Amino acid sequence: MTDVAVVGSGPNGLAAAVTMARAGLKVHVFEAAGTPGGGLRTAELMEPGHFHDVCSAVHPMVLASPFFRRFELSRRVPLEVPELSYGSPLDGGRAALAYRSLDRTVAELGRDGAAYRRLMEPLVRRVEGVADLTLNQLLRIPADPVAAAAFGRRALEQGSPLWNVRFSQDLAPALLSGVAAHAVAPLPSITAAGAGLMLGALGHAGGWPVPRGGSAAIARALTADIEAHGGVVETGRRITSFAELPPARATLLDVAPPALLHLAEGMLPARYRSALASFRFGNASCKVDFILSGPVPWAADGLADAGTVHVGGTRAETAEAERQVASGRHPDRPYVLVSQPSRFDAGRAPAGRHILWTYCHVPAGSTVDMSDAVMAQLERFAPGFRDLVVQFKVTTAAGLAAYDENFVGGDFGAGRMDLWGMLRRPVLSPVPWRTPLPGVYLCSSSTPPGPGVTGMPGFHAARHALKDMFGLGVPDLGYRSP
């Protein structure tokens, strides 16, 4: 007898399964791939002994996520938290650097340091309120209205043509636009500004962790907890219809809206079916993984210590690259998101070698290999980079879509990151995780709060399923030593 069936074992499906299993319910997780994890997989993509993160590599939100805080992830997985959260290189051997220390960041931003402090310090000081706002759905009263108001005012400013009004130099704007571009949305825009401000505040408040052993270590910790509480995680089992699932009182789906339409063919009300069919996905990424014979030779001092580097140049250059993607073009000088996990976790590569994780933004469904453009951008800010490349592997946007059905068109965020796309995710509802089918809940990144390794879509869906179907509250999720 199964109480709960979970389809999909990405971070959200696993978070839902953990929550249900901890409540004492019998949980069965079904995963089509050979290993659990979804976006939390680490593999020897090119050579033995070189461990690359297949999707996510750095996890800005795990220390702030209410789910992972309840789960006490940091007691289960060693998290390396660089003192330098992220940076943005500029021509001439310069870089804007965001340290965990806001004071140090301000000191190195020159004349714009005070303006940057006025922008970020209220968010850092009330970071828990910012997390409550941004890691939930927007149709609710925030727990910290002061934090919500401060965040909203700043998102409106940084998401408008007024985004440069505070600043007189180029370092602070480059730093802010580099982190805002994570949203895969035009710059400036309110959603990109909101993403950037939230991620920036987390970079100063707690840092951006790199899990030792790769992102798969998080999936292993979640899977182990499910199994320790009587759950089953079955891999290599693709579910194509609800008829293939065992009878269960609750079913949680870590799938994108098109997959839900397929699973529930002929079962959904017309209005809900129409909403799912019109759900909009965003643009995509082309990922390039490298094996290097040495560390990236950044021209700017200090940048080697950054856990993440946003390679795009000035604010205007990053905005132009994102504008081209939004118009369906492939930029010659793309915005490139870069991390070198072996700098913080020596076990990721043999002695003398390094792995490098990069991606750039491209139009949805792209089959274009962007490796030349990515390497040109890296060579621009790290002269001699090409000489260190031992091997590289390209995964186009179409390849990302083939890897994970939730990444429709190569959109790893599983839904467009504009204001309407955040409000209607996938429907406009106070409980968007609940579907019209009794006991069936959607828990993928196509539900609030959207993309990122937070576990929150799964946690929210599980919380409602526990209440609706079993009359239970949220159980204790804390770490218990073996």
Side-chain angles (χ1 to χ4, degrees), residues 57 59 62-63 72-82 208-218 220-221 344-345 348:
H59 301 281
V62 296
L63 294 178
E72 297 183 289
L73 180 69
S74 60
R75 296 185 63 189
R76 304 165 188 262
V77 176
L79 299 174
E80 304 296 336
V81 187
W208 289 13
V210 177
R212 195 184 306 161
S215 294
I218 300 175
R220 287 194 294 269
F344 309 98
D345 179 4
R348 301 287 295 275

Side-chain angles (χ1 to χ4, degrees), residues 261-353:
L261 281 170
H262 180 72
L263 287 168
E265 187 173 3
M267 301 171 65
L268 294 169
R271 186 173 179 181
Y272 189 80
R273 188 171 64 248
S274 177
L276 295 185
S278 63
F279 184 78
R280 302 173 305 157
F281 291 90
N283 281 313
S285 296
C286 176
K287 187 168 181 281
V288 189
D289 291 287
F290 295 91
I291 294 174
L292 305 179
S293 60
V296 178
W298 299 111
D301 290 339
L303 205 56
D305 294 326
T308 300
V309 181
H310 304 126
V311 177
T314 64
R315 166 168 270 183
E317 288 179 300
T318 297
E320 173 59 18
E322 295 302 278
R323 186 192 68 78
Q324 291 182 40
V325 172
S327 66
R329 297 161 56 195
H330 294 78
D332 292 330
R333 284 189 162 186
Y335 163 83
V336 185
L337 205 148
V338 179
S339 181
Q340 185 177 297
S342 51
R343 165 70 178 77
F344 309 98
D345 179 4
R348 301 287 295 275
R353 292 281 188 91

Side-chain angles (χ1 to χ4, degrees), residues 46-417:
M46 288 174 270
E47 294 186 13
H50 299 75
F51 296 92
H52 302 263
D53 289 313
V54 180
C55 294
S56 59
V58 182
H59 301 281
M61 294 182 279
V62 296
L63 294 178
S65 160
F67 169 75
F68 280 121
R69 291 178 69 176
R70 287 172 180 256
F71 187 65
E72 297 183 289
L73 180 69
S74 60
R75 296 185 63 189
R76 304 165 188 262
V77 176
L79 299 174
E80 304 296 336
V81 187
E83 178 57 33
L84 179 53
S85 294
Y86 55 90
S88 293
L90 295 168
D91 291 322
R94 300 179 302 135
L97 305 176
Y99 296 93
R100 289 166 61 190
S101 166
L102 180 61
D103 289 340
R104 184 175 179 185
T105 304
V106 166
E108 294 192 11
L109 286 177
R111 290 203 308 268
D112 282 339
Y116 182 84
R117 182 190 295 279
R118 287 192 294 272
L119 179 72
M120 295 302 299
E121 190 169 49
L123 307 182
V124 175
R125 192 166 56 242
R126 306 188 80 100
V127 71
E128 289 190 6
V130 171
D132 169 77
L133 175 71
T134 56
L135 296 180
N136 214 304
Q137 75 123 338
L138 298 180
L139 298 177
R140 58 187 286 272
I141 298 173
D144 185 343
V146 174
F151 182 85
R153 287 196 304 271
R154 286 158 175 78
L156 286 171
E157 173 201 304
Q158 288 298 304
S160 77
L162 297 175
W163 65 341
N164 283 323
V165 71
R166 289 178 183 261
F167 306 112
S168 60
Q169 297 181 303
D170 57 1
L171 288 177
L175 196 63
L176 290 164
S177 54
V179 71
H182 279 243
V184 200
L187 302 176
S189 66
I190 292 175
T191 49
L197 291 168
M198 182 266 288
L199 293 172
L202 295 178
H204 294 307
W208 289 13
V210 177
R212 195 184 306 161
S215 294
I218 300 175
R220 287 194 294 269
L222 292 164
T223 300
D225 196 80
I226 295 164
E227 294 175 340
H229 291 86
V232 174
V233 179
E234 182 179 356
T235 57
R237 178 78 182 276
R238 180 179 297 278
I239 302 298
T240 61
S241 77
F242 284 132
E244 298 171 12
L245 293 171
R249 292 174 65 185
T251 300
L252 292 97
L253 305 172
D254 186 3
V255 303
L260 173 53
L261 281 170
H262 180 72
L263 287 168
E265 187 173 3
M267 301 171 65
L268 294 169
R271 186 173 179 181
Y272 189 80
R273 188 171 64 248
S274 177
L276 295 185
S278 63
F279 184 78
R280 302 173 305 157
F281 291 90
N283 281 313
S285 296
C286 176
K287 187 168 181 281
V288 189
D289 291 287
F290 295 91
I291 294 174
L292 305 179
S293 60
V296 178
W298 299 111
D301 290 339
L303 205 56
D305 294 326
T308 300
V309 181
H310 304 126
V311 177
T314 64
R315 166 168 270 183
E317 288 179 300
T318 297
E320 173 59 18
E322 295 302 278
R323 186 192 68 78
Q324 291 182 40
V325 172
S327 66
R329 297 161 56 195
H330 294 78
D332 292 330
R333 284 189 162 186
Y335 163 83
V336 185
L337 205 148
V338 179
S339 181
Q340 185 177 297
S342 51
R343 165 70 178 77
F344 309 98
D345 179 4
R348 301 287 295 275
R353 292 281 188 91
H354 282 274
I355 59 168
L356 192 72
W357 175 97
T358 78
Y359 70 77
C360 70
H361 297 156
V362 295
S366 169
T367 59
V368 174
D369 175 345
M370 293 290 288
S371 58
D372 282 345
V374 167
M375 283 190 270
Q377 283 287 68
L378 288 166
E379 185 74 24
R380 173 186 172 190
F381 297 108
F385 171 79
R386 288 183 185 271
D387 296 334
L388 300 176
V389 176
V390 176
Q391 195 172 350
F392 67 92
K393 176 182 174 61
V394 178
T395 307
T396 66
L400 286 173
Y403 164 77
D404 192 317
E405 293 178 23
N406 285 1
F407 301 166
V408 176
D411 172 15
F412 55 76
R416 187 174 297 183
M417 289 288 287

